[in-house]
Amino acid sequence: MIGITPLKSAKMTHYMTQVPGVYVPQSIIKRMDDANEKGGPQGAQEEGVRIALEIIEKIRNKQGIHGLHIMPVGWEDIVPRIVTEANLLKTVSAVPEASREADKVLA
């Protein structure tokens, strides 16, 4: 399983570089800094979402990855947007296929 923390700000990005076990590439730090300089906090948030979506797209079909854990540190309300824009939801019937087949046999 892969864990992704959507970056909410340039400040958060710099802080994440100090968290043990977390790696933030210099290119991501630069993107967040540039976005903050050009668009302020809102620009940085949008860039953080773009980065999260790019990472999800890159890992989507990698062999050996069996899940994604979105860890929105202090930004929980962004999760539905990321899940929707990354097309992570599967349409699942409320009634499992096996149950529907059993109903046919019993009818």
Side-chain angles (χ1 to χ4, degrees):
M1 181 172 289
I2 299 280
I4 295 177
T5 298
L7 300 168
K8 187 175 184 177
S9 67
K11 181 178 177 181
M12 177 189 188
T13 305
H14 287 275
Y15 173 78
M16 294 299 287
T17 67
Q18 305 303 310
V19 176
V22 174
Y23 172 70
V24 183
Q26 191 62 40
S27 61
I28 299 293
I29 296 168
K30 182 172 179 5
R31 283 177 64 180
M32 290 298 291
D33 285 342
D34 289 349
N36 189 60
E37 286 179 26
K38 293 175 186 170
Q42 184 65 30
Q45 287 181 359
E46 287 302 312
E47 189 66 16
V49 170
R50 276 191 291 275
I51 291 166
L53 292 170
E54 289 169 12
I55 292 170
I56 291 167
E57 189 58 35
K58 287 181 181 178
I59 65 171
R60 178 180 296 278
N61 296 313
K62 296 279 185 190
Q63 186 174 358
I65 296 176
H66 301 287
L68 175 66
H69 181 192
I70 301 173
M71 301 173 285
V73 180
W75 199 19
E76 289 75 15
D77 56 332
I78 199 60
V79 173
R81 177 180 168 193
I82 291 173
V83 167
T84 299
E85 290 185 25
N87 198 25
L88 295 175
L89 288 178
K90 290 184 179 179
T91 304
V92 179
S93 172
V95 180
E97 184 66 31
S99 294
R100 289 193 299 265
E101 290 299 318
D103 288 342
K104 289 178 188 176
V105 171
L106 296 174

